[in-house]
Amino acid sequence: MSFIEVNNLQKSFGPLEVLKGLTFAVEKNDVLAIIGPSGSGKSTMLRSLIQLEEVNGGSITVDGDNLVSDGVYAKPADSKKIIARMGMVFQQFNLFPHLTVKQNLELAPKLVKKEQAKAYSDRSIELLEKVGLADKRDELPSRLSGGQKQRVAIARALMMNPDILLFDEPTSALDPQLTKEVLSVMKKLAEEHMTMIVVTHEMEFASSVANRVIFMDEGKIVEEGTPRDIFQTPKKQRTKQFLNYEL
Ligand SMILES: Nc1ncnc2c1ncn2[C@@H]1O[C@H](COP(=O)(O)OP(=O)(O)OP(=O)(O)O)[C@@H](O)[C@H]1O
Ligand SMILES: [Mg+2]
């Protein structure tokens, strides 16, 4: 059994069908890149995995536990545990503006876990060191660059010790230099075998860091394979068209 199994996932907003039966799996240690045109449902798919969107049909299983089974959700106490295994990093960082960097990291673990304050504090400093921002621990987010904010957001997601990190276009609000900083942190995580799903327009990152790529269009998976399959020998006309446009 795969770590995450998504089967025939369906989601509509009113009359608009956005996910039209997605089926895919993620193995432990996978770095799965999701590419596709604007509006194809990439964010909706990612948000559905952590129940920021409620789907209308299909199943999501995490490490053998059903979050949704044929459109029926697990009990809240169970779904909470399943979702807690996943961390998410958003395009717009979503840091709390009135909290310092370190407080941003410590907020969620303080709310949900019962460790000693010292344990959070040690871990937050360790993670800020990992993303190269230990010296910014007492700054407010407004005093950071976009790339620094996103690295704080990554450290914050790691505070909960997730088994998988989900990234929704983590660099598309950043200029090329700041993009590089963030991608290098993500590459380091991949080298440490963090399991990740990354929605991205960074084709270079997708082809060099991901081990699998899914191309989505109009709420469906058009093609899936290794970076080599997708970028060098795409089979579907739609994939070729998209890549010609992007590259
Ligand atoms: N809350 C919502 N209410 C209504 N429609 C929505 C909502 N969220 C998304 N949509 C629609 O669902 C479709 C898929 O949106 P989604 O954001 O998942 O696409 P995407 O692939 O992430 O696009 P992008 O690359 O631009 O981020 C779009 O047509 C969008 O307008
Ligand atoms: Mg999106």
Side-chain angles (χ1 to χ4, degrees):
M1 173 171 261
S2 302
F3 183 60
I4 292 188
E5 295 188 349
V6 172
N7 195 23
N8 194 26
L9 200 67
Q10 294 158 48
K11 170 69 182 172
S12 298
F13 291 107
L16 182 68
E17 242 189 307
V18 173
L19 303 182
K20 301 173 186 169
L22 297 183
T23 299
F24 65 95
V26 183
E27 308 297 335
K28 272 259 165 183
N29 306 337
D30 265 353
V31 177
L32 170 62
I34 312 273
I35 60 171
S38 185
S40 55
K42 305 180 300 295
S43 296
T44 304
M45 183 279 282
L46 218 52
R47 291 166 59 80
S48 298
L49 292 181
I50 53 169
Q51 218 178 336
L52 286 177
E53 304 291 352
E54 293 232 343
V55 297
N56 306 108
S59 307
I60 300 172
T61 305
V62 179
D63 206 9
D65 294 328
N66 276 318
L67 175 64
V68 202
S69 181
D70 284 330
V72 179
Y73 276 88
K75 290 197 216 89
D78 295 332
S79 59
K80 218 169 138 184
K81 276 189 211 145
I82 296 169
I83 291 164
R85 303 186 65 177
M86 302 184 263
M88 179 124 168
V89 175
F90 299 88
Q91 181 176 359
Q92 294 299 340
F93 328 126
N94 295 9
L95 298 177
F96 300 105
H98 58 293
L99 298 180
T100 67
V101 164
K102 192 160 175 289
Q103 288 166 340
N104 261 279
L105 264 66
E106 292 172 5
L107 182 66
K110 271 186 184 160
L111 289 177
V112 302
K113 289 193 178 164
K114 296 187 178 62
E115 284 169 47
Q116 299 289 317
K118 168 120 179 41
Y120 305 133
S121 183
D122 290 351
R123 182 156 170 72
S124 64
I125 289 167
E126 185 187 310
L127 286 171
L128 286 172
E129 273 164 9
K130 187 183 183 106
V131 300
L133 290 173
D135 57 331
K136 301 288 186 192
R137 69 183 74 155
D138 297 320
E139 294 285 5
L140 289 173
S142 58
R143 311 241 320 175
L144 303 181
S145 73
Q148 290 170 338
K149 284 182 200 166
Q150 194 59 298
R151 285 184 284 147
V152 171
I154 293 171
R156 182 177 63 175
L158 290 169
M159 279 296 282
M160 303 296 282
N161 273 322
D163 293 307
I164 180 167
L165 278 182
L166 315 179
F167 294 85
D168 193 0
E169 302 201 30
T171 61
S172 52
L174 306 177
D175 68 30
Q177 182 52 38
L178 300 182
T179 294
K180 253 165 83 179
E181 292 173 11
V182 171
L183 293 180
S184 91
V185 167
M186 292 169 63
K187 186 161 182 232
K188 194 158 87 182
L189 291 173
E191 285 163 0
E192 293 168 2
H193 307 296
M194 185 76 205
T195 310
M196 306 196 272
I197 303 178
V198 185
V199 171
T200 187
H201 286 286
E202 293 289 334
M203 298 300 156
E204 158 63 26
F205 176 84
S207 62
S208 62
V209 179
N211 63 316
R212 291 180 46 239
V213 180
I214 283 178
F215 170 59
M216 270 180 75
D217 190 24
E218 297 183 348
K220 291 186 190 148
I221 293 175
V222 174
E223 195 163 347
E224 167 174 9
T226 64
R228 198 186 153 75
D229 295 335
I230 301 296
F231 293 111
Q232 294 184 26
T233 54
K235 292 190 179 56
K236 299 280 167 63
Q237 193 54 33
R238 187 64 195 94
T239 316
K240 291 179 194 170
Q241 252 175 9
F242 174 76
L243 291 173
N244 276 334
Y245 180 77
E246 284 283 319
L247 294 175

